[in-house]
């Protein structure tokens, strides 16, 4: 079973993330690896749109069909209970900070006081908790390690791996979707 911290040490630079991504495409576990990398990137940015993206695509399974072809992307392999917990937690966290200024204003009672309350909130930290997907990431990391015959013994983080050519048509589509929600595919090693 792969350890989350060990995998994070294997993916601590853009080059290592690309190596990790390529290795995982060869083992056909790239969907788990992509989720793992995206959660680490989300932890840094804590953007609402990225949380919605992670929840909608990888937890709820609302992935465009073109990216599901050849089994490129799929729902993250975690327990049903954890999926429900993560999805509910994501919705609650976004609701608590509000998606738009109007949401923030309504949360603060509307009217003039709501406007100033929303303005005060907007000037503070309106980002989500970076640990929102930690449990799902840990479980995905465990499944990733089991599926790919153990990262500790086979995978070399500073080695050279070629991405599987089977997924060549999906990579540009995924990159476009990632950029739309402010993920940097180059930094993530997805190219």
């Amino acid at each position: 079973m792969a350890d989350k911290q060990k995998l994070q040490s294997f993916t601590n630079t853009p080059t290592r993330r690309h190596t990790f991504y390529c290795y995982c495409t060869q083992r056909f576990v790239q969907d788990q690896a992509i989720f793992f990398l995206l959660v680490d990137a989300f932890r840094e940015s804590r953007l609402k749109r990225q949380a919605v993206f992670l929840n909608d695509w990888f937890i709820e399974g609302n992935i465009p069909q073109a990216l599901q072809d050849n089994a490129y992307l799929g729902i993250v392999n975690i327990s049903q209970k954890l999926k429900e917990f993560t999805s509910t937690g994501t919705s609650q966290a976004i609701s608590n900070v509000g998606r738009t200024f109007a949401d923030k204003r309504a949360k603060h009672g509307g009217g003039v006081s709501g406007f100033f309350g929303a303005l005060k909130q907007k000037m503070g930290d309106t980002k989500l908790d970076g640990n929102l997907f930690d449990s799902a990431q840990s479980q995905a990391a465990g499944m990733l390690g089991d599926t790919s015959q153990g990262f500790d013994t086979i995978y070399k983080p500073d080695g050279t791996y070629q991405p599987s050519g089977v997924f060549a048509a999906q990579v540009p589509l995924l990159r476009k979707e990632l950029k739309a929600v402010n993920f940097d595919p180059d930094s993530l090693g997805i190219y």
Side-chain angles (χ1 to χ4, degrees):
M1 179 181 279
D3 177 82
K4 180 177 140 181
Q5 284 77 24
K6 183 86 154 182
L7 290 180
Q8 286 172 326
S9 72
F10 287 167
T11 59
N12 57 2
T13 68
T15 302
R16 281 182 154 200
R17 285 188 286 275
H18 180 65
T19 301
F20 176 72
Y21 169 76
C22 292
Y23 176 82
C24 290
T25 64
Q26 292 178 358
R27 302 293 185 268
F28 296 95
V29 292
Q30 67 284 340
D31 48 355
Q32 302 291 316
I34 290 168
F35 176 74
F36 185 86
L37 294 171
L38 292 176
V39 170
D40 278 349
F42 165 76
R43 192 174 292 113
E44 296 296 317
S45 68
R46 299 174 25 230
L47 296 175
K48 291 175 276 211
R49 68 177 55 189
Q50 290 178 350
V52 169
F53 177 83
L54 286 167
N55 188 62
D56 285 353
W57 281 40
F58 294 97
I59 305 300
E60 298 291 330
N62 299 319
I63 302 167
Q65 185 58 48
L67 290 170
Q68 292 183 47
D69 292 346
N70 298 328
Y72 183 61
L73 286 184
I75 196 166
V76 71
N77 193 7
I78 58 175
S79 71
Q80 184 62 33
K81 185 176 180 179
L82 185 54
K83 284 179 190 179
E84 292 169 6
F85 175 78
T86 303
S87 186
T88 302
T90 302
S91 296
Q92 287 175 345
I94 291 169
S95 177
N96 286 343
V97 296
R99 283 190 188 212
T100 65
F101 189 78
D103 291 343
K104 291 174 183 60
R105 183 177 174 190
K107 184 178 176 197
H108 290 280
V112 174
S113 65
F115 174 81
F116 287 111
L119 192 58
K120 182 178 178 183
Q121 180 184 1
K122 185 91 171 142
M123 290 174 19
D125 184 10
T126 61
K127 293 185 177 185
L128 300 176
D129 181 7
N131 299 325
L132 194 59
F133 296 98
D134 276 5
S135 297
Q137 185 188 38
S138 293
Q139 199 169 90
M143 299 303 290
L144 184 65
D146 288 345
T147 305
S148 56
Q149 282 106 63
F151 275 83
D152 292 344
T153 57
I154 299 171
Y155 175 69
K156 305 295 181 223
D158 295 314
T160 304
Y161 300 96
Q162 290 291 328
S164 176
V166 174
F167 308 118
Q170 282 89 8
V171 174
L173 300 172
L174 177 62
R175 287 176 55 85
K176 181 180 176 185
E177 295 288 344
L178 293 176
K179 287 178 183 179
V181 292
N182 291 13
F183 280 118
D184 179 6
D186 293 327
S187 175
L188 290 166
I190 301 172
Y191 49 87

